[in-house]
Amino acid sequence: MIFLLNKIIEEVKNTERTADKIVENANNEAEKIINNAHEESGKITERVKEEAKKDGKIIIEKEEKSARIEADNIIKYSEREKEELAKKSTNNIAKAVKIVIKKVMEGK
């Protein structure tokens, strides 16, 4: 009977050792999975950052192009205004000269 009890105790100990190994292996696998997840998360984060930088550069380039076009339009408009003002002032100078000449001729 003692032999049988010893055998049962030995089987229980073997089962416990096997269970401990299974738990240890499961913990090791879980740790590997977690580490891989962290590593993959870091890679994804870096990739998203790079994509965001690229998207930001594209947006900046589009806005710069739009700003250059708008600036060119403003410059063209300003140049036309300047030409018109130059013509008007030339006409006004001519009128002023005529008035001055007329006044001088009239003796005033």
Side-chain angles (χ1 to χ4, degrees):
M1 175 100 157
I2 292 179
F3 176 74
L4 190 56
L5 285 175
N6 284 338
K7 189 172 184 176
I8 291 172
I9 290 172
E10 191 61 36
E11 283 296 320
V12 168
K13 286 181 181 179
N14 285 339
T15 303
E16 285 178 348
R17 281 192 292 272
T18 302
D20 287 342
K21 286 182 182 179
I22 291 171
V23 168
E24 183 181 347
N25 289 341
N27 284 335
N28 289 339
E29 274 303 307
E31 190 173 326
K32 285 179 186 176
I33 291 170
I34 290 169
N35 288 339
N36 287 341
H38 283 297
E39 186 178 315
E40 189 63 28
S41 172
K43 288 178 184 176
I44 290 171
T45 300
E46 286 304 312
R47 189 168 51 237
V48 167
K49 285 180 184 178
E50 288 302 314
E51 288 176 10
K53 286 179 186 177
K54 288 178 187 174
D55 290 346
K57 286 180 183 177
I58 290 170
I59 290 170
I60 289 170
E61 288 171 0
K62 285 181 182 177
E63 289 301 318
E64 285 176 346
K65 183 178 178 181
S66 176
R68 279 192 296 273
I69 291 171
E70 188 173 342
D72 287 344
N73 288 338
I74 291 170
I75 289 169
K76 288 175 186 175
Y77 176 79
S78 296
E79 287 173 350
R80 282 191 299 256
E81 288 256 325
K82 182 177 110 179
E83 288 174 11
E84 286 181 32
L85 289 174
K87 285 179 186 175
K88 287 180 182 177
S89 64
T90 302
N91 289 340
N92 286 340
I93 290 172
K95 287 180 186 177
V97 168
K98 286 181 184 177
I99 292 172
V100 169
I101 291 173
K102 183 178 178 183
K103 296 288 183 180
V104 168
M105 297 297 268
E106 292 175 353
K108 292 186 180 180

